Amino acid sequence: EREAAAAERAAREEAQAGELVRAAQAGADGQRMATQAEVGEVRRREAAQVVREAAEAAGRVGRLEMQLGAVQAECGSEQAAHRQLAASSSVQVQVVLREVSSLEGLLERRGEAAL
């Protein structure tokens, strides 16, 4: 009877130990799943942050490109104005040279007439 009782107790303890092991495994599985869910959520938040930062950077690039376009347009206008001024100055120099040449011719004729 003692042996039967001892065997029965050993079987109960073994069953309890088996249930404890299964419960521990189930707890570990649950913890692993929770950890994976947390990791997934952290990754989603990080990905969302990266997307937001990329959108902000794209916006900054767009604004800088617009500013660059405005500066280039202003430079183009200034270059055109400089070309126009240079052409106008060239014409003015030619006019002055013709006038000087004409005056020289007039002075020569007057000098010849005076002789």
Side-chain angles (χ1 to χ4, degrees), residues 34-48:
T35 300
Q36 288 173 345
E38 288 175 22
V39 166
E41 181 59 29
V42 166
R43 286 182 179 160
R44 280 188 289 279
R45 282 194 306 261
E46 288 174 349

Side-chain angles (χ1 to χ4, degrees), residues 52-109:
R52 279 192 299 276
E53 290 173 0
E56 290 170 4
R60 284 191 302 270
V61 166
R63 286 189 296 279
L64 289 173
E65 286 175 339
M66 286 175 44
Q67 289 174 349
L68 175 60
V71 168
Q72 287 174 331
E74 187 177 330
C75 287
S77 296
E78 287 187 20
Q79 286 175 342
H82 284 268
R83 282 192 297 274
Q84 188 176 16
L85 181 61
S88 174
S89 296
S90 175
V91 168
Q92 288 176 350
V93 166
Q94 289 174 0
V95 167
V96 168
L97 288 176
R98 272 188 250 132
E99 287 179 11
V100 167
S101 177
S102 174
L103 288 174
E104 285 177 342
L106 182 62
L107 287 175
E108 283 179 14
R109 285 191 299 277

